[in-house]
Amino acid sequence: MDKMFEMMKSMMVKLETLDEIKERILCVEKDVKQMKDSIEFVHAEVNDLKDEDEKTKRSDEENRRKIRELEDTNQRRKRKHNDVKQMKDSTEFVHAEVNELKDEDEKTKRSDEENRRKIHELEDTNRRLQESVVDLKPRSMRDNLLFFNVKKDEKENTTEKIYDILEQNLEIFYARSKVKIDCSHRVGRKRVSQRKPRAIVVKFNYFQDREQVRQNARKLKGSRIGIAEQFPEEIEKIRQTLHPEMKKAKAQGHRVRNDVLSMCWKENPEDRPDFQSLRDTLYKILYCKEISQTSAYNEEIVNGPLKSNVIASEEDVNENELLI
């Protein structure tokens, strides 16, 4: 019995142990199930975390891209700000330059006005001086005559040649004792290829002697020697423009009064006539009702450069016309 009891007791202990084991197994299974559920949850969490991590990575890349864009934008903004600042400084500098230029322009305008005033005064002074010079020129030439086509010799004495012409051609006897010549010389530059002899300008001591010689100039007709009064260029220019009209009038058989040419000079510069008024006066003297168009109206002749009075007078002598 005792054995049986012991066996029963041992069996009961074993059964209790089995129950405990069973309970433990159940607990372990429960724990394993919980662990499995937990592991599955963890796997789900890990997958979610991976997805979140991917999203975070993409978001980080997008954020970094945006940050780079913002940095670039910020750099551009800074550059634009610097450019705007430089433009502002440049604009202020330009405004300052413009103000300085305005001041300089005002000064220049005032200076130009002052210069124009001075130039006007100088031109007026120059005009008066020229009028004075033109007034003095004929006075200094009043006692002068020009002799053309007088043969030139080596080591010649022009005064002796003139005395020979006065005594032999103009029949002013004893001219060496009656007519006093202050000086004489050839005019113009000497040229080797010059065919015609240069004219001789003669200054007489007395105006009466000069007039006596001039009034006897017609006796030189046919001798190729000519005599002409000496005029300044300003007067000679008007005489040259009027001369074609006189030639035309002579060709038409009119008698031309030489005192018309003397109208080229007046004591007062304001009283000196221009070419048109001289020409009209000439035709009034000739009693012409109409004034024809002639070469003298050519602007190149009226306003062109003046030939020297020596050349013009030589041409007149070649045409057998005496300018007296």
Side-chain angles (χ1 to χ4, degrees), residues 29 33 61 89 104 109 116 132 137 176 181 224 239 260 265 282 289 296 300:
E29 288 178 352
K33 185 178 179 181
E61 290 178 357
D89 295 338
E104 289 292 331
K109 286 181 179 179
R116 281 195 293 270
S132 300
K137 279 183 179 179
R176 286 178 171 80
I181 296 176
R224 300 290 297 172
R239 289 171 60 88
V260 176
W265 175 254
L282 173 64
K289 295 182 180 180
E300 294 181 358

Side-chain angles (χ1 to χ4, degrees), residues 7-51:
M7 287 179 63
M8 288 293 292
K9 188 178 180 179
S10 175
M11 288 180 65
M12 290 297 291
V13 171
K14 289 181 179 180
L15 287 173
E16 289 177 358
T17 303
L18 287 173
D19 290 336
E20 290 178 0
I21 291 171
K22 185 177 179 180
E23 288 178 359
R24 289 180 180 177
I25 289 172
L26 290 173
C27 289
V28 168
E29 288 178 352
K30 186 177 180 180
D31 292 338
V32 169
K33 185 178 179 181
Q34 289 178 351
M35 288 180 64
K36 185 178 179 181
D37 294 338
S38 178
I39 289 171
E40 290 177 355
F41 177 77
V42 168
H43 278 294
E45 288 289 327
V46 168
N47 291 330
D48 291 339
L49 288 173
K50 286 182 178 179
D51 294 337

Side-chain angles (χ1 to χ4, degrees), residues 157-160 162 181-186 200-203:
N157 187 329
T158 55
T159 301
E160 288 298 322
I162 297 302
I181 296 176
D182 288 343
C183 61
S184 65
H185 59 83
R186 300 270 180 183
I200 298 176
V201 59
V202 180
K203 182 175 179 59

